[in-house]
Amino acid sequence: MNIEKLVGNTPAIRIDYEYEGKTGSIYTKLEYYNYTGSIKDRMALYIIQNERENGNLKEGQAIVEVTSGNTGISFSAFGALYGHEVHIFMPDWVSLERRKIIEMYGAQVHLVSKEEGGFKKALELAEEFANDIDAYRPLQFDNELNPQAQYNTTGQEIIDAIPDVNAFVSGIGTGGTLMGIGKRLKDNNPESKIIALEPSTLSILKMGMIEGSHMIEGIGDDFIPGIVHENLIDDIVLIHDLDAINMSKRIAKEFGLGIGISSGANFLASVLVDNDDLKIATVFPDDNKKYITTKLSEKVDENPDLLSNRVKLIGFEVI
């Protein structure tokens, strides 16, 4: 069916900005051009195709996964396409749009509240449920096929579009994007830097926080995924969720680029670590359509204390 033609090879753009009297450019991939509208399509399709081929995912076998959103949407869509019943366990604080989209693909959503144990409890319940119905578990937080998908596709596409790229910035959800793309850039240029971002109110790697909350959906769960290799990370930058949201709002209002919350976080983090020695790439994992019932749909916050309001957006160009 050549479904691969609808996943990957997304457009890349260069965004020019000014911050603290210095001008610079950040390169990013518009991942909402993928099949269901997010970067997670790359990983979900890669896992399903590989696991069907090697026999780990059997014909008609149910798929059970834990996710805060986009991965669930991707597995639900590709599960429908390949004839797999899909069950998604997710925290109940994710946007309503994400839940509804998953259900529109025919998958079943199992919500877990913070009081019930949040994301960690969702992982436990998913494991029990999968054992009961003999389902396949993609285990995106520990499955090396996850970063492998990003290594083989997004990472190579970034190098093809920006041959002298030497840094990659991204938040950590599963860690697949940061690890996969970052390793591909390091293999291309050993001097390349992998820079992670964490929500400032739930920073596990940098600040050692064991609990907290934030509104940057898709990153910053309350544990370190198994596929995250801390020794590959060169630096960590903290972004407040209100800054991430506001940066996304401004990019939409000033450029007409409707991006999700983690995209704003990725861009702002890239600006904060940018210097003359770096040519930074990042990704805009999804668009703004899944966040209509969140603070992203509110007006731009003009608070001058926000870092996002100290960045002057000059323009962008497709590359």
Side-chain angles (χ1 to χ4, degrees), residues 15-184:
I15 298 180
D16 301 322
Y17 72 90
E18 181 180 321
Y19 178 68
E20 294 189 335
K22 179 182 72 73
T23 58
S25 299
I26 303 298
Y27 296 80
T28 186
K29 295 276 281 179
L30 304 182
E31 289 299 299
Y32 50 83
Y33 278 85
N34 280 302
Y35 189 60
T36 75
S38 89
I39 195 170
K40 297 299 186 180
D41 286 343
R42 297 175 182 265
M43 176 262 288
L45 180 62
Y46 191 83
I47 288 177
I48 285 178
Q49 288 185 332
N50 276 272
E51 295 289 68
R52 282 172 60 90
E53 186 175 334
N54 63 30
N56 289 333
L57 174 57
K58 300 173 178 61
E59 194 73 35
Q61 187 178 17
I63 296 172
V64 174
E65 186 55 299
V66 182
T67 169
S68 58
N70 281 325
T71 296
I73 292 170
S74 296
F75 272 115
S76 298
F78 291 120
L81 181 66
Y82 283 96
H84 296 280
E85 177 184 300
V86 177
H87 293 265
I88 300 298
F89 285 74
M90 62 196 312
D92 67 355
W93 58 83
V94 302
S95 69
L96 178 63
E97 290 83 0
R98 293 186 181 212
R99 305 181 210 169
K100 292 300 183 182
I101 291 170
I102 288 171
E103 292 172 340
M104 288 168 70
Y105 286 121
Q108 184 171 335
V109 174
H110 306 258
L111 296 176
V112 182
S113 69
K114 180 76 75 174
E115 292 71 28
E116 291 172 310
F119 214 93
K120 290 179 181 177
K121 185 62 175 179
L123 290 165
E124 295 176 13
L125 293 174
E127 183 66 26
E128 295 172 4
F129 184 80
N131 288 335
D132 288 344
I133 67 171
D134 190 28
Y136 170 76
R137 294 287 318 278
L139 297 172
Q140 60 170 330
F141 298 97
D142 300 291
N143 192 338
E144 288 297 334
L145 290 175
N146 178 355
Q148 193 178 112
Q150 303 297 341
Y151 181 99
N152 291 337
T153 65
T154 331
Q156 186 59 53
E157 290 169 27
I158 288 173
I159 292 170
D160 290 343
I162 316 145
D164 55 344
V165 62
N166 65 359
F168 181 70
V169 176
S170 175
I172 298 175
T174 64
T177 296
L178 184 71
M179 293 290 102
I181 297 175
K183 187 174 187 304
R184 182 67 191 88

Side-chain angles (χ1 to χ4, degrees), residues 17 19-20 22 26 237-239 243 265-275 280 307-308 311:
Y17 72 90
Y19 178 68
E20 294 189 335
K22 179 182 72 73
I26 303 298
V237 59
L238 304 184
I239 299 293
D243 260 320
N266 283 352
F267 177 75
L268 183 57
S270 298
V271 168
L272 295 181
V273 301
D274 195 14
N275 62 53
I280 297 176
L307 291 177
S308 51
V311 179

Side-chain angles (χ1 to χ4, degrees), residues 5-20:
K5 291 186 177 181
L6 297 180
V7 178
N9 295 309
T10 53
I13 64 172
R14 185 194 74 235
I15 298 180
D16 301 322
Y17 72 90
E18 181 180 321
Y19 178 68
E20 294 189 335

